[in-house]
Amino acid sequence: MANQNRAISSFDVIRKLVRNLYLEGFNNYLETGNLGKSSRAFTNNLNSIRNFLDDRFMSSKTSTKKQSNPVISFDTREETENPLFALWKTSNSIASNLSFDFAIMDILEDYPDGINWFSLTSDSYSTKHVDLLGKYVSKGIDKKGVKVKLEKLAEAGVIEFSEDKKKIRKTDTTKLKQLLSSKEVKQAIQFASETCPLGVIGSFILDSLSNVDSEPLNTPIHYKHHFVFNSIDYEIMYILLEAINEKCFVEIESERFGLRTIVPLKIFISTQTGRAYVVFWNKNEDMLFSENLELILVAKKSEICSEYELYEKKLSEMECHMWGVSFKMETTSELEHVRFVIEYPTEREKSYIPARLRREAVTGTVKELDDCHSEFTADIIDSNEIVPWISSFFGRITELDFPYASRIKEDISLLAEGKYREERTEPKTKTKLRYLVNTKFLQV
């Protein structure tokens, strides 16, 4: 199966299919939400994914059904290279769009000093030209169309025009390849490809270098938290980044908002989950919003936004009050004040608790009240986002004041009354719960 050349016809469909296969698996075509025009199309796409992901594609049987679910499964801690990058190298549309470019590069190999570009569309070109470019000319691609394609290649730095714009030749990349061929540089590219946004570009670079150097690259880097899944959203991310760079509107369709026109301002990536969020201005509602890139189905650039700097300034003013990417506060135009005091009575706790408080605080101020107490204060857009962090200090909190404080105190009170699952709570955990509810926290 791995040797078959099953090209993926539509990456949008594959993106949806892979997401569901990786997260939960499917029983049959009817459960896919018709990810494909027919059952046969679904099966073909499924076989394409199975082909490219090889042994990472498997089936899991359920207890209620005799048939098995196709799923994508792998341990990211054991993967030194994102296996989902393979999907970006197998699309029919990519191969079709680039075949003209590869034909041009193949022709220029025979003309190191350059060739008149207009000869590519003339009747006097060589047999090789006929074989490589004939099908494009037969489809009606005239000199103007060829010139436009060549100018895009020149803009990308792949080829270069002569001063009179009549001849083209390959850009001399000898020095660049020599630089990239070193083991240290390759390892740096590989690390960037696994950790940076749009890292699949680095994977393509490594593939091109592997064709020159047959020596395998053994990386010393392994990942405890390897966020590989967001790589299937790189196309959406690229369009949004282009729009941010060009300061223009984007038309998106998302699972949460549906169709709307937005002004993308910045992309935030969580260091805990690896999820990417785009922060944008919705002009119709005159508000800042954020959206998970996983939920964006389609993105398309539109016209230039004349007020882009104004929206950038508004986001810049709000960033110092952001704990995450929530903008719930925009409806009330009021910041939510957060204050809590924690204690650390022992010498061992004094050595790391204050440092941890300062290190983990995304925004706000940390003040040491005395040798055993520190105070944290902040004005936040949506204080609900800070609840998990505050919860990590349970058992040390002596004072707490913020909009969700009553909810947290109620949860602790329920624990004090023993309203938790006794059968699933180990003795060590019970002891910790008793310590939690006996602190000064409940008397605040």
Side-chain angles (χ1 to χ4, degrees):
M1 180 71 71
N3 295 326
Q4 297 182 22
N5 184 19
R6 293 180 178 271
I8 295 174
S9 58
S10 175
F11 194 81
D12 288 337
V13 173
I14 294 299
R15 179 176 173 240
K16 299 174 188 177
L17 191 53
V18 169
R19 173 172 288 112
N20 286 276
L21 287 171
Y22 186 71
L23 295 178
E24 55 191 50
F26 288 128
N27 283 325
N28 52 51
Y29 167 69
L30 297 177
E31 294 186 9
T32 67
N34 294 334
L35 294 178
K37 295 181 179 179
S38 65
S39 177
R40 181 176 180 180
F42 166 73
T43 302
N44 289 339
N45 288 330
L46 205 62
N47 289 335
S48 296
I49 297 173
R50 180 184 288 110
N51 179 61
F52 296 124
L53 295 184
D54 200 17
D55 57 343
R56 299 175 181 86
F57 193 99
M58 57 187 66
S59 299
S60 62
K61 292 186 178 181
T62 62
S63 57
T64 58
K65 297 183 180 181
K66 294 181 180 180
Q67 62 192 58
S68 59
N69 293 3
V71 296
I72 297 173
S73 178
F74 51 86
D75 188 349
T76 57
R77 295 171 297 179
E78 298 178 358
E79 301 287 346
T80 58
E81 181 180 355
N82 189 339
L84 299 181
F85 283 164
L87 298 174
W88 286 103
K89 305 168 186 178
T90 54
S91 172
N92 268 341
S93 59
I94 293 176
S96 176
N97 293 334
L98 293 182
S99 54
F100 178 87
D101 302 341
F102 286 125
I104 292 293
M105 300 307 294
D106 197 3
I107 291 171
L108 292 181
E109 284 286 348
D110 297 336
Y111 300 93
D113 296 328
I115 184 177
N116 289 330
W117 69 266
F118 50 80
S119 68
L120 299 174
T121 58
S122 67
D123 296 333
S124 59
Y125 46 58
S126 67
T127 304
K128 185 172 185 177
H129 294 190
V130 173
D131 295 338
L132 293 173
L133 295 177
K135 60 180 179 180
Y136 297 98
V137 178
S138 65
K139 290 182 180 180
I141 299 181
D142 54 9
K143 289 184 179 181
K144 184 177 180 180
V146 172
K147 180 75 176 294
V148 170
K149 290 179 175 290
L150 293 177
E151 286 176 345
K152 289 183 178 180
L153 288 176
E155 184 179 350
V158 178
I159 66 172
E160 55 188 13
F161 280 91
S162 60
E163 293 183 2
D164 57 6
K165 299 294 183 180
K166 292 183 179 180
K167 298 182 68 175
I168 57 171
R169 66 178 180 182
K170 288 181 64 175
T171 303
D172 186 6
T173 58
T174 304
K175 293 183 179 180
L176 178 61
K177 287 183 177 179
Q178 289 176 350
L179 173 65
L180 297 179
S181 62
S182 68
K183 181 179 179 181
E184 292 77 11
V185 173
K186 285 182 179 179
Q187 289 178 345
I189 295 174
Q190 186 178 50
F191 176 72
S193 70
E194 300 299 323
T195 57
C196 296
L198 305 180
V200 69
I201 297 174
S203 181
F204 275 104
I205 294 174
L206 290 174
D207 287 347
S208 65
L209 293 176
S210 65
N211 294 331
V212 179
D213 186 5
S214 59
E215 182 181 353
L217 178 62
N218 296 320
T219 177
I221 301 173
H222 293 265
Y223 303 91
K224 181 179 180 181
H225 302 292
H226 197 181
F227 303 123
V228 302
F229 193 60
N230 59 4
S231 61
I232 65 174
D233 302 316
Y234 281 168
E235 185 176 16
I236 299 294
M237 181 184 291
Y238 180 76
I239 294 171
L240 293 172
L241 289 174
E242 268 195 328
I244 292 172
N245 185 53
E246 299 172 11
K247 300 182 178 180
C248 62
F249 290 97
V250 173
E251 298 174 357
I252 68 168
E253 178 184 354
S254 72
E255 296 179 7
R256 186 166 62 144
F257 293 121
L259 291 170
R260 63 170 51 191
T261 301
I262 67 170
V263 183
L265 301 172
K266 190 172 286 190
I267 290 180
F268 292 82
I269 299 178
S270 171
T271 56
Q272 292 182 322
T273 64
R275 286 190 171 94
Y277 299 82
V278 57
V279 174
F280 60 89
W281 187 268
N282 186 332
K283 190 174 181 180
N284 294 335
E285 300 181 30
D286 200 33
M287 292 171 61
L288 280 169
F289 282 93
S290 64
E291 180 66 301
N292 188 342
L293 263 61
E294 294 178 10
L295 302 180
I296 299 179
L297 307 176
V298 180
K300 182 180 179 182
K301 288 191 300 180
S302 187
E303 69 272 10
I304 300 296
C305 176
S306 58
E307 298 179 317
Y308 195 88
E309 287 76 10
L310 174 63
Y311 303 139
E312 271 189 321
K313 183 179 179 181
K314 290 184 177 182
L315 174 59
S316 179
E317 291 172 352
M318 301 300 296
E319 276 191 273
C320 60
H321 301 293
M322 292 170 56
W323 190 267
V325 290
S326 175
F327 293 94
K328 186 185 71 172
M329 183 279 303
E330 282 293 312
T331 57
T332 61
S333 68
E334 293 180 359
L335 296 172
E336 298 175 352
H337 185 70
V338 177
R339 176 184 177 273
F340 66 87
V341 177
I342 63 172
E343 64 177 357
Y344 36 91
T346 68
E347 290 298 325
R348 178 177 175 274
E349 292 171 330
K350 292 177 185 178
S351 64
Y352 68 90
I353 294 298
R356 180 200 159 192
L357 196 63
R358 289 189 295 269
R359 183 181 66 251
E360 296 180 358
V362 177
T363 186
T365 304
V366 177
K367 179 181 178 182
E368 293 189 18
L369 302 179
D370 54 44
D371 291 343
C372 301
H373 296 83
S374 287
E375 177 191 59
F376 173 83
T377 56
D379 293 313
I380 300 175
I381 295 174
D382 184 3
S383 59
N384 186 42
E385 293 186 303
I386 202 174
V387 171
W389 186 61
I390 294 178
S391 301
S392 67
F393 291 101
F394 278 0
R396 303 185 185 279
I397 301 174
T398 59
E399 298 179 40
L400 180 64
D401 180 23
F402 83 117
Y404 293 92
S406 59
R407 191 184 74 183
I408 293 179
K409 294 176 184 179
E410 182 181 354
D411 291 342
I412 297 297
S413 298
L414 290 175
L415 291 174
E417 296 171 7
K419 294 182 178 180
Y420 52 87
R421 297 179 180 178
E422 294 267 354
E423 67 278 8
R424 294 189 180 182
T425 306
E426 298 179 359
K428 184 177 180 181
T429 307
K430 291 181 181 179
T431 303
K432 184 177 181 181
L433 292 176
R434 294 192 192 99
Y435 171 68
L436 286 177
V437 299
N438 288 330
T439 60
K440 299 177 183 178
F441 179 80
L442 291 176
Q443 282 74 46
V444 176

